[in-house]
Amino acid sequence: MIDSVLIVEDIPETLEFLEKVVRDVFDSVTIHTAMSVSAAHKLVKDVEFDLALIDLSLPDGEGYSVFRELSSKQPGAIMVAATVMGSDGAIVSALSAGAQGYILKSDPVALLKQSLNNIRDGMPPLSPAVARRVMEHFRFTGPVTDSAGTLTKRETEVLSYIAKGLRVSDTANALEIAPSTVSSHIKAIYEKLGVNSRAEATTEATRMGLLR
Protein backbone atom coordinates (compact mmCIF):
# COMPACT_ATOMS: atom_id res chain seq x y z
CA MET A 1 0.00 0.00 0.00
CA ILE A 2 1.48 3.32 -1.08
CA ASP A 3 0.22 6.13 1.14
CA SER A 4 3.21 8.46 1.63
CA VAL A 5 5.54 9.46 -1.20
CA LEU A 6 8.73 11.51 -1.29
CA ILE A 7 9.77 13.22 -4.54
CA VAL A 8 13.25 14.75 -4.67
CA GLU A 9 13.56 17.00 -7.73
CA ASP A 10 14.99 20.51 -8.15
CA ILE A 11 13.23 21.62 -11.36
CA PRO A 12 9.74 22.95 -10.52
CA GLU A 13 8.13 21.91 -13.81
CA THR A 14 9.52 18.38 -13.55
CA LEU A 15 8.51 18.16 -9.90
CA GLU A 16 4.93 19.09 -10.83
CA PHE A 17 5.00 16.53 -13.66
CA LEU A 18 6.18 13.72 -11.37
CA GLU A 19 3.56 14.63 -8.76
CA LYS A 20 0.84 14.24 -11.39
CA VAL A 21 2.20 10.90 -12.56
CA VAL A 22 2.30 9.59 -8.98
CA ARG A 23 -1.25 10.79 -8.22
CA ASP A 24 -2.52 9.16 -11.42
CA VAL A 25 -1.00 5.81 -10.40
CA PHE A 26 -1.64 5.81 -6.64
CA ASP A 27 -4.95 7.03 -5.26
CA SER A 28 -5.15 9.32 -2.24
CA VAL A 29 -1.42 9.54 -1.58
CA THR A 30 0.30 12.18 0.51
CA ILE A 31 3.24 13.63 -1.41
CA HIS A 32 6.18 15.40 0.22
CA THR A 33 8.67 17.19 -2.02
CA ALA A 34 12.28 18.28 -1.64
CA MET A 35 14.30 20.36 -4.07
CA SER A 36 17.71 19.67 -2.52
CA VAL A 37 19.64 16.91 -0.80
CA SER A 38 19.57 18.75 2.53
CA ALA A 39 15.78 19.19 2.38
CA ALA A 40 15.39 15.52 1.52
CA HIS A 41 17.51 14.44 4.49
CA LYS A 42 15.36 16.56 6.81
CA LEU A 43 12.16 14.97 5.50
CA VAL A 44 13.59 11.46 5.88
CA LYS A 45 14.22 12.20 9.56
CA ASP A 46 10.71 13.58 10.13
CA VAL A 47 8.36 11.59 7.87
CA GLU A 48 7.80 7.88 7.14
CA PHE A 49 7.64 7.06 3.42
CA ASP A 50 6.33 4.10 1.44
CA LEU A 51 7.86 5.27 -1.84
CA ALA A 52 10.61 7.72 -2.79
CA LEU A 53 11.42 9.04 -6.27
CA ILE A 54 14.88 10.59 -6.13
CA ASP A 55 16.79 12.58 -8.73
CA LEU A 56 20.52 11.85 -8.85
CA SER A 57 21.81 15.36 -9.55
CA LEU A 58 20.74 18.16 -7.23
CA PRO A 59 22.07 21.68 -6.53
CA ASP A 60 23.75 20.72 -3.25
CA GLY A 61 24.86 17.17 -4.00
CA GLU A 62 23.90 13.78 -5.39
CA GLY A 63 20.80 11.74 -4.66
CA TYR A 64 22.87 8.69 -3.74
CA SER A 65 23.21 10.01 -0.19
CA VAL A 66 19.41 10.18 0.12
CA PHE A 67 19.19 6.52 -0.91
CA ARG A 68 21.71 5.58 1.77
CA GLU A 69 19.90 7.65 4.40
CA LEU A 70 16.56 6.04 3.57
CA SER A 71 18.11 2.57 3.50
CA SER A 72 19.44 3.14 7.00
CA LYS A 73 16.46 4.86 8.61
CA GLN A 74 13.50 3.49 6.62
CA PRO A 75 14.42 0.10 5.13
CA GLY A 76 10.80 -0.58 4.25
CA ALA A 77 10.56 2.32 1.80
CA ILE A 78 10.65 1.54 -1.92
CA MET A 79 13.38 3.74 -3.40
CA VAL A 80 13.45 4.63 -7.08
CA ALA A 81 15.91 6.76 -9.03
CA ALA A 82 13.99 9.24 -11.22
CA THR A 83 16.53 10.85 -13.51
CA VAL A 84 17.65 11.63 -17.05
CA MET A 85 20.99 9.91 -16.43
CA GLY A 86 21.01 6.51 -18.11
CA SER A 87 24.71 5.62 -18.06
CA ASP A 88 25.95 2.31 -16.68
CA GLY A 89 27.87 4.16 -13.97
CA ALA A 90 24.80 6.07 -12.76
CA ILE A 91 22.62 2.95 -12.77
CA VAL A 92 25.15 0.80 -10.92
CA SER A 93 25.84 3.54 -8.38
CA ALA A 94 22.14 4.09 -7.67
CA LEU A 95 21.49 0.37 -7.23
CA SER A 96 24.58 0.06 -5.04
CA ALA A 97 23.32 2.94 -2.87
CA GLY A 98 20.04 1.09 -2.27
CA ALA A 99 17.73 2.01 -5.16
CA GLN A 100 15.18 -0.71 -5.94
CA GLY A 101 14.09 0.84 -9.22
CA TYR A 102 15.28 3.22 -11.91
CA ILE A 103 13.07 5.28 -14.22
CA LEU A 104 13.97 7.83 -16.87
CA LYS A 105 12.02 11.08 -16.72
CA SER A 106 12.33 11.32 -20.50
CA ASP A 107 10.15 8.22 -20.95
CA PRO A 108 6.61 8.71 -22.28
CA VAL A 109 4.02 9.20 -19.55
CA ALA A 110 2.44 5.82 -20.26
CA LEU A 111 5.78 4.07 -19.70
CA LEU A 112 6.42 5.95 -16.47
CA LYS A 113 3.01 4.96 -15.15
CA GLN A 114 3.55 1.37 -16.20
CA SER A 115 6.92 1.29 -14.39
CA LEU A 116 5.35 2.62 -11.18
CA ASN A 117 2.39 0.26 -11.54
CA ASN A 118 4.85 -2.63 -11.39
CA ILE A 119 5.19 -1.86 -7.67
CA ARG A 120 1.66 -3.14 -7.11
CA ASP A 121 2.74 -6.53 -8.48
CA GLY A 122 5.91 -6.63 -6.41
CA MET A 123 8.10 -5.92 -9.44
CA PRO A 124 10.94 -3.36 -9.56
CA PRO A 125 10.01 -0.16 -11.40
CA LEU A 126 12.49 -0.08 -14.30
CA SER A 127 12.34 1.91 -17.51
CA PRO A 128 12.72 -0.50 -20.46
CA ALA A 129 15.91 1.24 -21.60
CA VAL A 130 17.40 0.87 -18.12
CA ALA A 131 16.48 -2.82 -17.95
CA ARG A 132 18.34 -3.34 -21.22
CA ARG A 133 21.39 -1.44 -19.93
CA VAL A 134 21.46 -3.55 -16.76
CA MET A 135 21.36 -6.75 -18.79
CA GLU A 136 24.06 -5.51 -21.18
CA HIS A 137 26.25 -4.30 -18.31
CA PHE A 138 26.36 -7.68 -16.63
CA ARG A 139 26.64 -9.53 -19.94
CA PHE A 140 29.82 -7.62 -20.81
CA THR A 141 31.36 -7.38 -17.35
CA GLY A 142 30.69 -11.02 -16.58
CA PRO A 143 30.12 -12.44 -13.10
CA VAL A 144 31.35 -10.41 -10.18
CA THR A 145 33.79 -12.27 -7.95
CA ASP A 146 32.86 -13.40 -4.43
CA SER A 147 35.07 -10.63 -3.08
CA ALA A 148 33.02 -7.89 -4.75
CA GLY A 149 33.10 -4.70 -2.74
CA THR A 150 35.94 -5.91 -0.50
CA LEU A 151 38.88 -4.06 -1.95
CA THR A 152 42.26 -4.54 -0.33
CA LYS A 153 44.04 -1.53 1.16
CA ARG A 154 46.32 -1.32 -1.88
CA GLU A 155 43.41 -1.62 -4.32
CA THR A 156 41.61 1.18 -2.49
CA GLU A 157 44.72 3.36 -2.82
CA VAL A 158 44.97 2.61 -6.55
CA LEU A 159 41.27 3.37 -7.02
CA SER A 160 41.62 6.72 -5.27
CA TYR A 161 44.49 7.70 -7.59
CA ILE A 162 42.95 6.62 -10.90
CA ALA A 163 39.63 8.21 -9.90
CA LYS A 164 41.47 11.54 -9.57
CA GLY A 165 42.67 11.20 -13.15
CA LEU A 166 46.21 9.90 -12.61
CA ARG A 167 47.65 7.67 -15.30
CA VAL A 168 48.92 4.18 -14.55
CA SER A 169 52.53 5.38 -14.62
CA ASP A 170 51.79 8.33 -12.29
CA THR A 171 49.93 6.04 -9.88
CA ALA A 172 52.85 3.62 -9.94
CA ASN A 173 55.29 6.44 -9.11
CA ALA A 174 53.09 7.71 -6.29
CA LEU A 175 52.79 4.28 -4.70
CA GLU A 176 56.34 3.25 -5.59
CA ILE A 177 55.24 0.06 -7.35
CA ALA A 178 55.59 -1.21 -10.94
CA PRO A 179 53.09 -0.03 -13.60
CA SER A 180 52.27 -3.67 -14.32
CA THR A 181 51.28 -4.09 -10.67
CA VAL A 182 48.99 -1.07 -10.91
CA SER A 183 47.38 -2.58 -14.02
CA SER A 184 46.79 -5.84 -12.17
CA HIS A 185 45.18 -3.95 -9.30
CA ILE A 186 42.94 -2.03 -11.72
CA LYS A 187 41.75 -5.29 -13.28
CA ALA A 188 40.93 -6.67 -9.83
CA ILE A 189 39.12 -3.44 -8.89
CA TYR A 190 36.96 -3.57 -12.02
CA GLU A 191 36.01 -7.19 -11.33
CA LYS A 192 35.16 -6.58 -7.68
CA LEU A 193 33.10 -3.44 -8.33
CA GLY A 194 31.42 -4.79 -11.46
CA VAL A 195 32.59 -1.85 -13.61
CA ASN A 196 34.41 -1.75 -16.92
CA SER A 197 35.67 1.80 -17.32
CA ARG A 198 37.57 4.50 -15.45
CA ALA A 199 34.43 6.66 -15.44
CA GLU A 200 32.41 3.98 -13.67
CA ALA A 201 35.27 3.33 -11.27
CA THR A 202 35.32 7.07 -10.48
CA THR A 203 31.59 6.97 -9.73
CA GLU A 204 32.17 4.10 -7.34
CA ALA A 205 35.11 5.91 -5.72
CA THR A 206 32.88 8.93 -5.14
CA ARG A 207 30.18 6.73 -3.62
CA MET A 208 32.77 5.15 -1.33
CA GLY A 209 33.90 8.58 -0.16
CA LEU A 210 37.43 8.33 -1.63
CA LEU A 211 37.18 11.66 -3.45
CA ARG A 212 35.92 13.86 -0.63
Side-chain angles (χ1 to χ4, degrees):
M1 186 73 169
I2 304 298
D3 293 318
S4 180
V5 179
L6 169 65
I7 301 178
V8 184
E9 169 62 53
D10 65 307
I11 301 175
E13 294 80 8
T14 305
L15 181 58
E16 183 179 351
F17 166 72
L18 290 174
E19 284 189 73
K20 185 178 187 309
V21 170
V22 169
R23 291 193 188 281
D24 286 346
V25 175
F26 303 106
D27 296 329
S28 304
V29 294
T30 299
I31 297 178
H32 296 262
T33 63
M35 300 181 74
S36 65
V37 169
S38 58
H41 280 302
K42 185 177 187 305
L43 281 173
V44 169
K45 292 177 182 176
D46 298 337
V47 183
E48 291 289 328
F49 295 107
D50 302 306
L51 171 66
L53 304 183
I54 302 169
D55 191 13
L56 300 183
S57 180
L58 295 149
D60 60 340
E62 296 180 317
Y64 305 121
S65 67
V66 183
F67 285 119
R68 289 190 287 270
E69 179 86 359
L70 265 172
S71 294
S72 173
K73 290 188 166 55
Q74 301 187 34
I78 298 170
M79 299 175 291
V80 181
T83 179
V84 294
M85 298 166 61
S87 68
D88 288 355
I91 295 169
V92 170
S93 294
L95 297 179
S96 297
Q100 296 143 291
Y102 201 108
I103 59 176
L104 298 177
K105 293 180 289 189
S106 55
D107 278 347
V109 173
L111 270 181
L112 288 172
K113 291 181 180 179
Q114 180 182 326
S115 296
L116 293 179
N117 258 316
N118 286 341
I119 295 173
R120 300 182 191 276
D121 301 321
M123 298 170 58
L126 287 174
S127 290
V130 172
R132 286 194 295 271
R133 292 299 292 269
V134 169
M135 294 302 295
E136 289 172 1
H137 174 84
F138 287 106
R139 178 161 65 91
F140 286 114
T141 58
V144 180
T145 65
D146 290 339
S147 55
T150 56
L151 300 183
T152 66
K153 180 180 179 181
R154 179 63 85 188
E155 287 166 354
T156 301
E157 291 173 337
V158 170
L159 175 58
S160 69
Y161 279 112
I162 66 171
K164 292 172 183 173
L166 271 70
R167 297 173 300 179
V168 169
S169 58
D170 295 330
T171 300
N173 289 335
L175 295 176
E176 298 182 344
I177 57 178
S180 59
T181 302
V182 172
S183 297
S184 295
H185 285 314
I186 291 174
K187 181 179 179 180
I189 289 167
Y190 282 16
E191 289 177 351
K192 288 182 178 182
L193 297 182
V195 301
N196 57 6
S197 71
R198 183 185 288 258
E200 292 178 7
T202 300
T203 298
E204 284 297 291
T206 302
R207 184 181 65 80
M208 294 164 64
L210 299 181
L211 298 184
R212 291 175 185 169

